[in-house]
Amino acid sequence: MRDALAVSRRGLLVGAALGLAGPARGAVPDAALLVGPGPEDAASFRWLQRLGAGLGRALPQATAFRVQAVGGADGVTAANRFATEAEPDGRSLLAFAPGAAQARLIGDGRAKYDCGTWLAVCGGTQPAALLVRRQPAPGVALRVATPGAEAPETAAILALDLLGRPATPVLTPTPEAAFASGAADAFLASGPALAARARALDAEIAFAAEPGGGGRDPLLPEVPVLPEFRAELPAAALAALRAALAACRLRALVVLPALTPADAVSAFRRAAQHWQEEEAREGAVEAVRLIGPTESARVQAQLAASAEACAHYRDWLHRRTGWRAA
């Protein structure tokens, strides 16, 4: 009997060491930390604080939910720290930023993480669409304003290439101002009220970025998405395009580390769903559209483009603009 008990105890100890035993490990923690990009006075960080407070309220037990700014606005430092330091104990979450997603896509040497391995909880998105002048000159390449070759908005030129529409990059820190002044014929815009912005600029919306689940953006139901123009697109090119456009749409994607216990993951996802429903009941009007666990996982799948898709985008970017990651 003593031998059997000893074997049983050894099994429990081994299981605990491997993180397999004990319901306490998977229980909702009494404290959790959400790491996100800085600075603390940014509107995006204030939104994360609100999100953290909402998740904390919706968890099945009282949880001190702290939001911490790490690194710059692109989120690369925050993602690197999360990838190397976060324990899968249900206490650590990351607000994955669009800049960090784009850094991985273009091969930025600072990006040392694989966003596809994390466990999506919730997030926030916004519409993104290409605004064009109503009557561009026929036969002339469309001048597309973008804040930089490495910016996700440059994917608009890839989209036009796939459609066979001649386009020329116009690099400028202020794409909308370049469009308004006549220095550009198109730019990829993101944020709320895109239809109103297009009318104010006397522009048309050519196409919108696809949501995580495909189809049209529910906030732009009248605007087509790229596959509606051309059904047969090269798989690697389409995946690369979707990854960059998903970064344009993303405000933040909240994730847990891989191997976080299933009951902790479920608790956070239920809390995210409850928070989303709470916001809807209160009629909160936000520039950011809240997305629950299912759509968040689909957005994550877009952002976590395959190595083949990333290589395609990098090669295209170098050929098209001469830009190459350091």
Side-chain angles (χ1 to χ4, degrees):
M1 182 69 175
R2 283 197 300 269
D3 290 344
L5 288 173
V7 169
S8 177
R9 288 183 63 189
R10 281 198 299 273
L12 289 173
L13 289 172
V14 170
L18 294 174
L20 302 174
R25 178 177 172 82
V28 178
D30 55 5
L33 174 66
L34 173 62
V35 172
E40 292 185 353
D41 59 353
S44 58
F45 185 76
R46 292 194 296 272
W47 181 79
L48 286 180
Q49 289 178 310
R50 180 177 176 184
L51 184 152
L55 286 180
R57 287 194 307 271
L59 285 168
Q61 69 183 51
T63 300
F65 210 105
R66 186 163 63 94
V67 183
Q68 180 182 17
V70 173
D74 62 11
V76 172
T77 300
N80 280 332
R81 182 173 299 183
F82 182 79
T84 57
E85 298 181 6
E87 294 290 336
D89 55 7
R91 295 176 177 272
S92 300
L93 299 95
L94 168 70
F96 189 52
Q102 183 68 5
R104 175 184 176 273
L105 176 64
I106 65 176
D108 189 323
R110 299 174 302 148
K112 306 294 185 183
Y113 40 80
D114 180 2
C115 60
T117 65
W118 296 328
L119 304 171
V121 173
C122 63
T125 62
Q126 57 193 0
L130 184 70
L131 273 59
V132 300
R133 203 164 304 287
R134 289 186 183 276
Q135 294 181 342
V140 177
L142 204 65
R143 298 169 299 165
V144 182
T146 177
E150 74 282 10
E153 290 86 349
T154 305
I157 299 172
L158 173 58
L160 293 170
D161 284 354
L162 292 173
L163 294 176
R165 178 68 166 90
T168 300
V170 177
L171 304 183
T172 170
T174 54
E176 185 166 344
F179 180 89
S181 70
D185 305 309
F187 72 104
L188 191 71
S190 60
L194 286 189
R197 286 172 66 187
R199 287 193 297 271
L201 291 165
D202 193 27
E204 293 178 343
I205 302 180
F207 63 81
E210 291 178 85
R216 294 187 176 186
D217 191 313
L219 297 181
L220 294 172
E222 303 302 319
V223 180
V225 294
L226 195 69
E228 294 182 49
F229 295 101
R230 182 180 169 189
E232 298 297 326
L233 292 169
L238 183 58
L241 176 66
R242 282 174 168 159
L245 292 181
C248 292
R249 295 182 69 248
L250 184 67
R251 171 61 67 90
L253 183 71
V254 176
V255 296
L256 288 158
L259 304 180
T260 298
D263 51 354
V265 175
S266 296
F268 276 110
R269 286 176 172 170
R270 285 194 299 269
Q273 195 69 46
H274 291 160
W275 177 62
Q276 186 182 26
E277 293 167 358
E278 175 186 309
E279 293 284 291
R281 283 195 304 271
E282 293 179 0
V285 178
E286 291 287 335
V288 181
R289 175 174 170 259
L290 307 178
I291 57 174
T294 300
E295 188 168 351
S296 294
R298 291 170 177 165
V299 170
Q300 179 185 18
Q302 287 182 326
L303 296 171
S306 68
E308 181 185 9
C310 291
H312 180 93
Y313 191 82
R314 295 164 194 173
D315 290 344
W316 169 84
L317 192 62
H318 179 65
R319 292 194 312 270
R320 205 62 167 80
T321 69
W323 190 89
R324 189 184 295 277

